[in-house]
Amino acid sequence: SVPRKLSSLNGNHMSSVDDLFEEFPLKVARDEVKGSHLIAKRDIQAGEQVLVSRHGCGAVSHNFNHSICSTCWTPVPSVQVSNLLCKSCKEVVFCSSKCRSQAPYLSHSRLECVWLHRLHNQPPPTDFACDDVNEVRMLINFLSRRYIETSKRSEPPTSDFETSIEPGRVRSEDILRDLIDNREQMSEGKLERMREIARYTLDLMKSEPFVGSLTEEDAFKVLAVIKCNSFGLWNRGCRYVACVLTYIGSFFNHSCFPNVSRFTHGEDHISFRALVPIKAGSEVCISYFDVSGTKEERLQTSLEFYYFGCECVRCKTDDGTEEELYRKIIAEMVCKCGGCLVPVGDGNPGSLYAVRQCGRCWSHKRKNSRKFEDLLAQLYENQ
């Protein structure tokens, strides 16, 4: 496939990126065909945690901004909203006084609060869909963090916020430099709407000195990176409630036969676990979307929403028998919500696949462990 994740990495910067993976069984590799991608340093067991990546920015969906905590992403009971709503901007809510006190350092800086207050009082154009407003909120969060980083660059860290992107090493400038935006693959209609979102967001910030050096093209670039690299967060009812952008979590390429999946998320991170055993040297991929559809449906989704035509090992096969085997494995691997089922086991030896947890809706499923293992054995034997 055409990787959407990484721009060129080389020299000293490549070494610093490698350092971020030091404690994980993954490393960044690069070749002329795949570009930059992740491979396994060693054999990885199914269910093993392979990566934990901190958020670079994040925002609660506009539809849930008064019901999901802006700090820890958990639901806020409706009876508590009036007491825990941000009194300044009225655009975010917290689940507890603890989350509210942590917000200026983790999720809701004072500068973001000012800009969200203007969003509250200066509603977006009526033709903006909820997804468009969500992108405004993500752009505000990213730019407020970037401003604070640059303004405090010469000062020692004073809070957890100073290291909230990646401990002491990765900041917004790394995200913008290393994560590609795929603008050249986007339709003109999509690009024009992004320009409208960028202009509207900059208009909210126009009285800030910081914005004087920030051009529409700068905001447009940030927005494109966010659109191509963000992860959605869902609640237990399979409803999209928030969006986060991570740095090293964005290094995964896509495959319609993934061997890793996003598993859980916390107030400042997303974790990833192996879906199947992975041999040392193998590429490690996640799925960007529900891969239970046909080859044609998957290609359409990759082109329309992720701006590349998938050419993963599954999509390249012309063997009908092999594709049927892939289909059966995916049917066992994918939850009805579209998320991937991560093996967590039931505590008994030899039954790792008997209980699996969805990394999207968090539901647990009991499955036939032997059936899944037999299907995997058939596939690997054929290859």
Side-chain angles (χ1 to χ4, degrees):
S1 61
V2 178
R4 72 175 174 92
K5 288 301 182 184
L6 297 179
S7 58
S8 59
L9 296 174
N10 50 56
N12 294 333
H13 181 58
M14 184 70 174
S15 299
S16 66
V17 171
D18 286 340
D19 290 343
L20 298 176
F21 290 90
E22 184 176 0
E23 63 183 287
F24 305 112
L26 308 177
K27 66 178 180 179
V28 180
R30 183 170 180 80
D31 62 41
E32 293 301 319
V33 177
K34 295 180 180 178
S36 298
H37 56 286
L38 294 180
I39 63 173
K41 295 178 188 174
R42 56 168 174 79
D43 290 349
I44 296 172
Q45 301 301 311
E48 183 179 344
Q49 181 171 278
V50 299
L51 187 68
V52 176
S53 183
R54 291 179 179 271
H55 302 159
C57 72
V60 174
S61 168
H62 190 62
N63 283 341
F64 287 87
N65 65 321
H66 287 169
S67 57
I68 297 293
C69 178
S70 180
T71 299
C72 70
W73 317 105
T74 58
V76 180
S78 57
V79 295
Q80 295 182 15
V81 170
S82 59
N83 293 327
L84 295 169
L85 188 70
C86 176
K87 302 303 181 184
S88 299
C89 69
K90 300 180 176 61
E91 280 292 318
V92 300
V93 70
F94 309 101
C95 66
S96 65
S97 56
K98 177 183 177 182
C99 277
R100 178 157 55 188
S101 66
Q102 291 178 333
Y105 312 111
L106 291 175
S107 62
H108 186 53
S109 69
R110 292 177 180 84
L111 185 58
E112 181 193 58
C113 188
V114 170
W115 292 343
L116 286 180
H117 177 69
R118 292 173 188 167
L119 172 66
H120 184 81
N121 292 321
Q122 185 181 327
T126 55
D127 66 336
F128 272 28
C130 181
D131 285 346
D132 298 328
V133 182
N134 291 341
E135 291 180 3
V136 171
R137 298 175 73 96
M138 281 288 285
L139 187 53
I140 286 174
N141 185 268
F142 185 94
L143 293 176
S144 64
R145 286 178 178 239
R146 182 163 174 76
Y147 172 73
I148 293 173
E149 289 170 17
T150 54
S151 65
K152 291 183 175 291
R153 185 63 52 83
S154 60
E155 301 175 16
T158 57
S159 69
D160 288 342
F161 178 82
E162 292 299 307
T163 57
S164 65
I165 294 181
E166 291 293 347
R169 291 176 285 191
V170 177
R171 294 178 179 270
S172 56
E173 63 187 50
D174 299 294
I175 290 174
L176 293 178
R177 179 185 58 238
D178 297 338
L179 303 186
I180 63 175
D181 55 53
N182 279 344
R183 282 180 286 179
E184 65 278 7
Q185 273 81 47
M186 296 182 186
S187 67
E188 187 53 44
K190 183 83 71 176
L191 293 171
E192 181 54 34
R193 175 44 58 100
M194 289 169 59
R195 293 187 188 100
E196 292 172 1
I197 293 170
R199 284 193 291 267
Y200 168 72
T201 307
L202 288 180
D203 190 53
L204 295 176
M205 307 172 182
K206 61 186 178 183
S207 63
E208 299 295 332
F210 160 62
V211 181
S213 61
L214 186 67
T215 67
E216 182 181 316
E217 181 62 25
D218 294 330
F220 185 44
K221 163 72 174 177
V222 173
L223 193 57
V225 168
I226 289 172
K227 182 178 284 290
C228 288
N229 296 278
S230 295
F231 289 87
L233 305 183
W234 279 261
N235 62 15
R236 295 183 186 275
C238 298
R239 297 190 67 186
Y240 170 86
V241 298
C243 182
V244 297
L245 176 65
T246 81
Y247 182 65
I248 59 175
S250 292
F251 281 37
F252 288 108
N253 275 340
H254 165 82
S255 174
C256 293
F257 183 59
N259 50 17
V260 162
S261 173
R262 176 260 303 277
F263 184 53
T264 58
H265 63 265
E267 65 183 31
D268 66 347
H269 70 274
I270 297 178
S271 70
F272 298 83
R273 289 183 180 266
L275 294 168
V276 295
I278 305 170
K279 292 183 178 180
S282 300
E283 184 173 7
V284 180
C285 297
I286 62 173
S287 59
Y288 297 168
F289 49 84
D290 183 352
V291 294
S292 57
T294 65
K295 180 177 179 179
E296 291 72 23
E297 290 169 338
R298 300 194 309 269
L299 178 60
Q300 181 179 351
T301 299
S302 68
L303 287 170
E304 182 176 353
F305 296 102
Y306 297 91
Y307 317 108
F308 69 93
C310 185
E311 296 180 1
C312 69
V313 61
R314 181 183 173 199
C315 287
K316 287 195 294 186
T317 184
D318 293 321
D319 186 327
T321 301
E322 186 171 75
E323 171 53 29
E324 178 62 16
L325 193 50
Y326 275 124
R327 189 194 64 77
K328 289 179 180 179
I329 294 173
I330 291 298
E332 290 286 314
M333 186 185 287
V334 176
C335 179
K336 64 180 181 180
C337 76
C340 288
L341 296 170
V342 177
V344 294
D346 60 5
N348 296 315
S351 60
L352 178 62
Y353 296 105
V355 178
R356 295 173 235 169
Q357 183 176 353
C358 179
R360 180 172 176 177
C361 72
W362 304 355
S363 63
H364 286 78
K365 310 288 184 183
R366 294 202 68 87
K367 291 282 187 176
N368 186 323
S369 185
R370 177 58 62 86
K371 176 183 177 181
F372 187 68
E373 290 173 344
D374 287 347
L375 288 170
L376 285 177
Q378 289 180 51
L379 179 65
Y380 296 149
E381 184 178 316
N382 292 343
Q383 294 178 339

